[in-house]
Amino acid sequence: MPRGKTTKSERQTQLLKKLEEEPFVTDEELCEYFQVSIQTIRLDRLELGIPELRERVKKVAEKNYSKVKSLGESEIIGELIDLHLNQSAISILETTKEMAFRKTKIVRGHHIFAMAESLAMAVINADVALTGIANMKYSIPVLAGDKLVAKAEVARIRGKKFFVHVKINVKQEQVFRGKFILVSIEEE
Amino acid sequence: MPRGKTTKSERQTQLLKKLEEEPFVTDEELCEYFQVSIQTIRLDRLELGIPELRERVKKVAEKNYSKVKSLGESEIIGELIDLHLNQSAISILETTKEMAFRKTKIVRGHHIFAMAESLAMAVINADVALTGIANMKYSIPVLAGDKLVAKAEVARIRGKKFFVHVKINVKQEQVFRGKFILVSIEEE
DNA sequence: TAATTATTAATACTAGGTACTAAGTACAAG
DNA sequence: CTTGTACTTAGTACCTAGTATTAATAATTA
């Protein structure tokens, strides 16, 4: 729905909004949408520092590509900063607003669970481990932007079963604790 | 490291591999890498049906953009197919290889947890709910491609606390069960 | 009305291509 | 040795979605 004529600043505000919703729009489509010439759109982009379509597409592609890659590569959520195999490990994770509910900015539980689970697996000296049973408790809600520090400790090893305790803190406060029983699967 | 001269089919095999690893490469960079003319690269791409750089970038961007959007919109993992508010709910989720470990094809625990958690939240008639405590048990590993069916039942409501039981099955076998205690947060 | 701001137009130039034609090179078969 | 075929390179015209710049016109404000 093309707008009727408005002021420059109004148009620029709407332009920003429009591109946030629909970033893959050409100048030509924009100038039809706003009922102005293509040069006006380009001046607006110049003033607002909005890059051209192809740059916008590239940015989205690169951001997501690297995300997918790093997740596939490491298979650990968060950054491993300390590791004593079969004993203990520490990882950190900076939470973002993408991990949280829009309304409350509370980080969704499965992100915290994923961090704990992957750290528990990392600390085990087995090629492949699988979560058997997890008993866990969330204490305080985590907000987007909080920096999580996870500590894993191997409590007991019994054959193929590993008992790992994971605690996650924000600053000095514990926000999660869980007991994982991991079962190693050996290669045939 | 530019290759020494090889055959056409060898080069094309390597080209496919190269672009899978590094999809954001121009023909010019490729022709230097393979030590052939730019036209050869273009003929190769034509024969192999590989689109131009800008199309490749666009594809990656669109794929990931829509993924982020759909995840943000629904905030439920899996497809909700039945819902009796404050009583029970059913959702289904087709697992993919992206959710699994590369080596074993076993689906990572947090995806199963996320499905259960979000279904538990969906069944509650509260604007925003937060996982308090979750006690859970995985029984059988889930393999990439398995179709998960989750059933949630509200066991008890006590003030702001909701006790929800979630069971996830693959065909007739239970692969997960968990008890969630959700706490509703009211608006001020 | 004059000055200022906003908009439109026009032109030259760019990257990273497509599509096409033509010519050159390598190598094995006759 | 020459011919045929596959492969490779070169060159041209054209495309999209722009940038950067200059100039002219329209709208607003002092």
Side-chain angles (χ1 to χ4, degrees):
Chain A
M1 51 190 77
R3 277 86 181 78
K5 294 269 167 185
T6 53
T7 66
K8 187 185 175 182
S9 67
E10 233 176 295
R11 188 188 56 238
Q12 292 193 343
T13 311
Q14 290 182 345
L15 181 65
L16 281 165
K17 204 180 125 202
K18 173 84 176 167
L19 284 176
E20 197 167 342
E21 286 166 14
E22 246 178 281
F24 307 153
V25 190
T26 62
D27 286 357
E28 202 169 343
E29 289 165 329
L30 287 169
C31 83
E32 271 183 41
Y33 180 82
F34 287 107
Q35 295 283 60
V36 292
S37 74
I38 201 160
Q39 287 82 353
T40 304
I41 294 295
R42 284 170 181 171
L43 272 173
D44 284 348
R45 279 202 299 101
L46 194 70
E47 282 178 27
L48 298 169
I50 300 169
E52 65 174 272
L53 167 65
R54 286 171 298 211
E55 289 302 314
R56 299 194 302 266
V57 170
K58 212 195 279 182
K59 255 184 211 165
V60 173
E62 272 168 357
K63 199 180 70 191
N64 290 293
Y65 186 72
S66 66
K67 201 195 289 173
V68 167
K69 246 191 120 178
S70 69
L71 216 100
E73 260 170 21
S74 67
E75 294 197 336
I76 175 164
I77 287 136
E79 197 187 339
L80 194 66
I81 55 168
D82 189 40
L83 176 66
H84 300 280
L85 224 50
N86 284 331
Q87 289 177 46
S88 65
I90 298 173
S91 74
I92 55 172
L93 176 67
E94 307 254 6
T95 59
T96 65
K97 64 177 189 297
E98 282 74 30
M99 300 177 182
F101 293 99
R102 280 189 314 257
K103 294 179 201 165
T104 54
K105 298 192 178 174
I106 293 173
V107 172
R108 312 191 74 198
H110 74 263
H111 287 110
I112 298 163
F113 177 78
M115 185 193 188
E117 184 195 38
S118 66
L119 186 65
M121 286 187 176
V123 76
I124 295 303
N125 185 25
D127 246 15
V128 182
L130 161 74
T131 307
I133 302 165
N135 185 315
M136 46 203 278
K137 182 166 189 172
Y138 289 84
S139 11
I140 305 163
V142 174
L143 298 176
D146 281 351
K147 189 175 181 171
L148 302 176
V149 180
K151 290 179 196 173
E153 270 179 40
V154 179
R156 197 158 71 251
I157 302 173
R158 211 157 59 196
K160 288 176 196 165
K161 284 193 178 174
F162 297 78
F163 298 76
V164 184
H165 295 192
V166 180
K167 289 172 195 166
I168 300 180
N169 283 40
V170 173
K171 281 161 193 161
Q172 293 313 316
E173 275 191 311
Q174 189 177 92
V175 294
F176 169 96
R177 64 184 159 83
K179 294 182 185 181
F180 291 84
I181 303 179
L182 305 177
V183 182
S184 83
I185 299 172
E186 59 235 292
E187 327 259 319
E188 70 275 23
Chain B
M1 49 188 77
R3 277 85 182 77
K5 293 268 167 184
T6 55
T7 66
K8 186 185 175 183
S9 66
E10 235 176 294
R11 186 188 58 237
Q12 292 193 343
T13 310
Q14 289 183 347
L15 181 65
L16 281 165
K17 203 179 124 202
K18 173 86 177 165
L19 283 176
E20 198 166 340
E21 286 165 14
E22 246 179 280
F24 308 154
V25 189
T26 62
D27 286 357
E28 202 169 343
E29 288 165 329
L30 287 169
C31 83
E32 270 183 44
Y33 180 81
F34 286 106
Q35 295 283 62
V36 291
S37 73
I38 202 162
Q39 287 81 356
T40 303
I41 293 295
R42 284 170 181 171
L43 272 174
D44 284 347
R45 279 202 299 100
L46 196 70
E47 282 177 28
L48 298 170
I50 299 169
E52 65 175 272
L53 166 66
R54 286 169 299 209
E55 289 303 315
R56 299 194 301 267
V57 170
K58 211 194 280 180
K59 257 184 210 166
V60 173
E62 274 168 357
K63 200 180 69 191
N64 290 292
Y65 186 72
S66 65
K67 202 194 288 175
V68 167
K69 249 190 116 176
S70 69
L71 215 103
E73 261 169 22
S74 67
E75 292 197 338
I76 174 163
I77 287 137
E79 196 187 340
L80 195 65
I81 55 170
D82 189 42
L83 176 66
H84 301 280
L85 225 49
N86 283 333
Q87 290 177 45
S88 65
I90 298 174
S91 73
I92 55 172
L93 175 68
E94 306 254 5
T95 59
T96 65
K97 63 178 189 296
E98 281 75 30
M99 300 177 183
F101 292 100
R102 279 189 315 256
K103 294 180 201 165
T104 55
K105 298 191 177 173
I106 294 173
V107 173
R108 312 192 74 198
H110 73 263
H111 288 111
I112 298 164
F113 176 79
M115 185 192 188
E117 185 196 37
S118 66
L119 186 65
M121 287 185 175
V123 77
I124 295 303
N125 185 25
D127 245 15
V128 182
L130 162 73
T131 306
I133 302 166
N135 183 314
M136 46 203 276
K137 183 165 187 172
Y138 289 83
S139 12
I140 305 163
V142 174
L143 298 176
D146 281 352
K147 188 175 182 171
L148 301 177
V149 179
K151 291 179 196 175
E153 270 178 40
V154 179
R156 197 157 71 249
I157 302 173
R158 210 155 62 197
K160 288 177 195 162
K161 283 192 179 174
F162 297 78
F163 298 75
V164 183
H165 296 191
V166 180
K167 290 171 195 167
I168 300 180
N169 282 40
V170 174
K171 281 160 195 164
Q172 293 313 317
E173 275 190 312
Q174 190 177 91
V175 293
F176 170 95
R177 65 184 160 84
K179 294 181 185 181
F180 292 84
I181 301 179
L182 306 177
V183 182
S184 84
I185 300 172
E186 62 236 291
E187 328 260 319
E188 69 272 30

